[in-house]
Amino acid sequence: MSRLGDLGARLHHGEVGYDFIGKRMLWYGVSVLITITAIVGLGVRGLNMGIEFSGGAVFTTPKSTVSAQRAEEMAEEASGHQALVQELGNGGLRIQISEVDTAKSDQIKADLAEGMNIPADDINADLVGPSWGKQIANKAWMGLGIFMALVVIYLAIAFEWRMAVAALVALIHDITITVGIYALVGFEVSVGTVIGLLTILGYSLYDTVVVFDSLKESSRGILKQNRYTYSEIANRSINGTLVRSINTTVVALLPVAGLLFIGGGVLGAGMLNDISLSLFVGLAAGAYSSIFIATPLVADLKEREPETAALRRRVLAKRASAAARGESDAEAEGTARRSEDDEDGTGAHGATAAAGVSGPPAPRGGRRGRPSGRRR
């Protein structure tokens, strides 16, 4: 077995572990700091909305000797607005300019044709009105709202409402960070960005639901024992699924990183930038929130319940009593097990009898056994 597999087995069986729940205030502080930074970046820089949302024109030119940088300069001089130029596979150029109406589009097309020394009829111009972008934005917000409502309802039915609330907070956390990084980096928000944002919601929920399912199974009948608090069981659930979460996240991030750094950075594919950045940031934020935000938040909410709070007091009181008697942790756990077994009527004697185990057979008639060997 590999070292990672051995570590995963040890984490799953509780032989080793990290106290994620105990240090939850640290994780909360880190998340608040990152979220505030994202909100400040969003407020100061704002989002670079594409023509799908702000309206504009897209000019597609045939193959020419003009470089993309020179075409960008000509487009900005002709329009008075910032232009985005991408090289196409056939050697042509895609020139995108925001906030351009029909009359201005015809003038820009003529200037580009003259500057690039190509016929104006060979340049294809497509106009996008701002009303169309507004419709896309409204539908995206509607889809996001419906998705979150369905997620909350499903998790409340499949698990409980506290887990649904924690998952919703984690989703808002992931979306806020992703949008804030978009604002800080300055990437253009396009339809591909919206697709990427909606896609990461499923990835973000995947790890969260895996941990929640393990926590649900581990905490079944928790109030009938006095060995572990709810927070400790939640911490063991995180550790038990930690390696699985890391593996799935890394495997998902590798191809997305290829799209972002190779497809977008080296090849200069604009649409790949829009989708891959949102996916990359969202996947990383989703893996973080499922471990450091969602499950600790569930533990906090559960510890506020009277029954769970009473369980915590019993566990701590029993450990304090064991410490006063000088017992080790293993001995204290064994004492707690025997105490619970005696309360249930399944102590050591009862368990032995129930298992059908009997002692050594008594000698018959009290006669002394005759030694073996030949009779003289």
Side-chain angles (χ1 to χ4, degrees), residues 17-234:
Y18 183 79
D19 191 7
F20 292 98
I21 304 297
K23 295 180 174 60
R24 60 187 179 275
M25 299 309 298
L26 174 62
W27 317 132
Y28 292 164
V30 171
S31 295
V32 169
L33 181 61
I34 296 175
T35 304
I36 291 176
T37 303
I39 294 175
V40 170
L42 183 62
V44 173
R45 294 180 59 90
L47 292 173
N48 181 20
M49 306 301 292
I51 64 170
E52 295 90 347
F53 301 98
S54 61
V58 178
F59 302 94
T60 305
T61 69
K63 184 177 181 179
S64 67
T65 58
V66 178
S67 64
Q69 183 177 0
R70 178 56 186 157
E72 181 178 345
E73 295 174 356
M74 288 189 296
E76 291 179 353
E77 291 175 0
S79 64
H81 298 283
Q82 185 177 3
L84 178 64
V85 180
Q86 301 172 7
E87 295 182 1
L88 302 178
N90 59 358
L93 299 175
R94 183 179 184 270
I95 305 172
Q96 178 178 308
I97 306 174
S98 302
E99 301 178 2
V100 174
D101 54 14
T102 304
K104 190 68 174 179
S105 172
D106 294 337
Q107 180 62 40
I108 295 173
K109 181 178 179 180
D111 293 343
L112 288 175
E114 181 180 356
M116 300 178 69
N117 196 21
I118 55 178
D121 294 337
D122 293 344
I123 299 178
N124 183 32
D126 294 324
L127 289 176
V128 179
S131 60
W132 185 75
K134 186 176 181 180
Q135 293 178 1
I136 293 180
N138 292 335
K139 290 181 179 180
W141 283 113
M142 183 182 300
L144 180 62
I146 294 174
F147 175 83
M148 287 189 170
L150 293 176
V151 165
V152 170
I153 294 173
Y154 171 76
L155 291 180
I157 295 174
F159 298 98
E160 57 174 300
W161 68 267
R162 296 166 190 82
M163 293 184 178
V165 170
L168 180 62
V169 171
L171 283 177
I172 297 175
H173 167 272
D174 300 341
I175 294 175
T176 303
I177 291 177
T178 305
V179 174
I181 290 180
Y182 246 89
L184 292 174
V185 174
F187 274 27
E188 185 181 62
V189 178
S190 63
V191 177
T193 305
V194 177
I195 295 173
L197 286 175
L198 295 178
T199 303
I200 65 172
L201 299 180
Y203 281 102
S204 176
L205 281 173
Y206 176 77
D207 287 335
T208 302
V209 170
V210 168
V211 180
F212 283 178
D213 185 66
S214 175
L215 178 56
K216 179 182 178 182
E217 293 297 326
S218 302
S219 61
R220 186 167 296 172
I222 184 177
L223 299 178
K224 299 179 181 179
Q225 53 85 43
N226 295 322
R227 294 190 296 275
Y228 306 109
T229 65
Y230 188 91
S231 294
E232 292 170 343
I233 292 180

Side-chain angles (χ1 to χ4, degrees), residues 232-352:
E232 292 170 343
I233 292 180
N235 195 70
R236 295 184 66 174
S237 298
I238 296 177
N239 282 278
T241 58
L242 181 61
V243 173
R244 177 179 178 179
S245 298
I246 293 175
N247 287 337
T248 54
T249 302
V250 170
V251 169
L253 282 176
L254 286 177
V256 176
L259 287 175
L260 179 61
F261 298 109
I262 299 177
V266 178
L267 302 180
M271 183 61 73
L272 292 180
N273 281 337
D274 303 336
I275 298 178
S276 58
L277 179 62
S278 59
L279 287 177
F280 188 85
V281 177
L283 287 174
Y288 171 84
S289 64
S290 65
I291 297 173
F292 298 97
I293 302 299
T295 309
L297 185 57
V298 171
D300 277 338
L301 294 175
K302 287 291 291 185
E303 292 286 1
R304 297 176 184 270
E305 291 185 349
E307 298 85 357
T308 311
L311 170 65
R312 183 178 184 84
R313 289 192 296 268
R314 292 200 307 269
V315 172
L316 296 180
K318 183 161 291 188
R319 290 177 183 173
S321 176
R325 293 194 301 268
E327 294 182 355
S328 63
D329 293 340
E331 292 173 344
E333 183 174 345
T335 302
R337 288 179 181 273
R338 289 192 297 271
S339 176
E340 292 169 9
D341 290 341
D342 290 340
E343 292 175 1
D344 296 338
T346 58
H349 177 72
T352 304

